[in-house]
Amino acid sequence: MKLQRKNRLRALSLGAVAVSGALALTACGSDDNGGGDASGNPSTSAGAASIKCDDAKGQLLADGSSAQKNAIDAWVKAFSQACGVQINYKGGGSGAGVTAFTQGQVAFAGSDSALKPEEVTASKKVCSGGQGIDLPMVGGPIALGYNVPGVDNLVLDAPTIAKIFDSKITKWNDPAIAALNKGAKLPDLKIQAFHRSDESGTTDNFTKYLIATTPDNWKYSGGKAWQAKGGQSAPQSAGVAQQVKQTSGAIGYFELSYVKDGIKSVSIDTGASKPVAPSSESATADIAAAQVVGTGKDLALKLDYKTKAEGAYPITLVTYEIVCDKGNKADTLPATKAFLRYIASEDGQKILPGIGYAPVPDEIIAKVRTTVEGLS
């Protein structure tokens, strides 16, 4: 099993080398859509294979995880150019996406947390003869982005992170932070900790990490809604990142693709030989150990937040596309199926490392592809 995992990680890493070229080809798909597939449907090159449009047409409405918004934007650009289908993905947060799905307002939803039993029950009202299922499509690290003048490299561990976000550590030169960053010039500056104001799967996964690794310092039950007192809030990952960028002394949690324009990311002391920085590769090393815990066609995963493996970043998430296994609306099923087929394909997954995400491990994404083909 360890050998298989090592080979899988090596394959994923090699796939990342070709990402920039794959992304460039995908983005200019409209320049190569003069032909079609065997059925005469338009298609476009996206790396080694073509996007299969089949009978996709019209418009798709979707909502949910802001964590995957940058990935969705890249996928939608390529798919829409190839197939002429307009996809409106709002990215209002995982909670909003699940609600919209169970109310029948969207063709599919994105969520960084798998459906709860009561949400599966609610989905049966809109999935005629079926139910909502979780399809893992996007992996990635939850980065702790910070803005501390003069500090270019910052290491934190789980207890310190918990105390920062629970307002127990309030200054950047606190002895607990100094002990992890020997030699760093930490300023006597107030910590401004930002969390999500909306219901968020990113919050759910971030707090699951704290619950798993330092329960004595994080005594909250967890979930999509932020529970700790204190701190400041902002909507969606983009909102938290913007606040961190413009606030001296700030720290917040969001996906790696939002770490840019002056925001730096924390390396985590996991107990391995050296701290681990967030990256597509370090997130893949953790996600590769995930276990499928969903039943039937549901592919919900259990992540290892307590990993001490070398090079494995522990604060990760997987974003699921939530769709009906049966009972999808006839007018949106072809486009939904074609889009999900593309993003689960080798070419769709190859885009991810180049924009700060991690592809879903081979064994799991193979199951996703089979499930997508069976949607009805």
Side-chain angles (χ1 to χ4, degrees):
M1 181 63 70
K2 290 183 177 178
L3 180 60
Q4 290 178 345
R5 184 175 301 162
K6 181 179 291 185
N7 291 337
R8 184 165 66 244
L9 293 177
R10 181 179 298 171
L12 289 170
S13 297
L14 290 172
V17 174
V19 165
S20 59
L23 182 57
L25 285 169
T26 302
C28 61
S30 59
D31 295 331
D32 188 27
N33 64 355
D37 61 19
S39 302
N41 296 313
S43 63
T44 187
S45 294
S50 296
I51 296 176
K52 298 179 180 179
C53 302
D54 292 338
D55 297 320
K57 59 183 178 180
Q59 175 177 311
L60 288 181
L61 298 179
D63 195 3
S65 165
S66 65
Q68 69 167 354
K69 183 68 165 58
N70 292 334
I72 288 285
D73 287 347
W75 283 330
V76 165
K77 181 177 181 181
F79 184 78
S80 295
Q81 287 177 341
C83 302
V85 175
Q86 180 182 351
I87 300 178
N88 181 3
Y89 183 82
K90 292 177 62 178
S94 297
V98 171
T99 297
F101 179 77
T102 57
Q103 293 180 350
Q105 299 172 357
V106 294
F108 69 91
S111 177
D112 309 316
S113 300
L115 289 169
K116 296 178 181 178
E118 62 268 25
E119 293 168 341
V120 173
T121 298
S123 73
K124 293 179 180 180
K125 297 178 181 179
V126 297
C127 301
S128 179
Q131 66 179 48
I133 55 173
D134 302 288
L135 300 179
M137 291 289 193
V138 186
I142 301 174
L144 294 175
Y146 70 96
N147 176 0
V148 182
V151 181
D152 294 328
N153 298 290
L154 183 66
V155 176
L156 297 175
D157 60 10
T160 308
I161 294 167
K163 292 174 184 177
I164 287 173
F165 281 90
D166 200 23
S167 303
K168 300 292 176 58
I169 292 178
T170 59
K171 290 289 189 72
W172 279 111
N173 61 350
D174 187 277
I177 300 177
L180 292 164
N181 296 273
K182 295 179 180 179
K185 295 182 179 179
L186 299 169
D188 183 13
L189 179 66
K190 181 180 179 181
I191 295 175
Q192 307 280 356
F194 284 89
H195 57 264
R196 288 282 289 271
S197 60
D198 54 321
E199 288 202 350
S200 161
T202 309
T203 294
D204 190 16
N205 284 273
F206 176 53
T207 54
K208 281 179 179 176
Y209 161 74
L210 296 176
I211 292 168
T213 55
T214 184
D216 290 343
N217 295 298
W218 195 261
K219 298 182 181 297
Y220 304 98
S221 60
K224 293 188 180 77
W226 184 258
Q227 296 172 326
K229 296 180 181 179
Q232 302 180 62
S233 65
Q236 284 93 52
S237 293
V240 175
Q242 181 61 30
Q243 289 300 318
V244 171
K245 177 183 176 181
Q246 66 188 24
T247 305
S248 179
I251 186 171
Y253 58 91
F254 36 79
E255 292 64 45
L256 184 61
S257 61
Y258 292 93
V259 176
K260 53 188 176 182
D261 300 332
I263 299 176
K264 300 178 177 66
S265 59
V266 172
S267 293
I268 307 298
D269 182 348
T270 65
S273 63
K274 60 181 180 180
V276 185
S279 69
S280 296
E281 292 76 18
S282 62
T284 296
D286 184 53
I287 296 171
Q291 297 177 329
V292 176
V293 294
T295 58
K297 295 182 179 179
D298 188 273
L299 296 174
L301 303 177
K302 181 180 180 180
L303 300 173
D304 183 9
Y305 299 105
K306 299 169 68 174
T307 183
K308 294 183 180 180
E310 298 295 329
Y313 186 80
I315 318 177
T316 57
L317 61 73
V318 170
T319 301
Y320 303 95
E321 310 312 329
I322 296 172
V323 66
C324 297
D325 58 353
K326 298 179 181 178
N328 290 279
K329 295 179 180 178
D331 57 340
T332 59
L333 175 60
T336 300
K337 198 168 178 176
F339 181 66
L340 296 180
R341 177 189 295 122
Y342 162 59
I343 68 178
S345 72
E346 181 179 352
D347 294 310
Q349 291 288 300
K350 278 183 179 179
I351 289 176
L352 296 176
I355 51 176
Y357 297 96
V360 176
D362 290 347
E363 292 178 10
I364 298 172
I365 202 66
K367 295 178 181 179
V368 172
R369 292 167 186 156
T370 298
T371 301
V372 168
E373 294 306 321
L375 298 179
S376 62

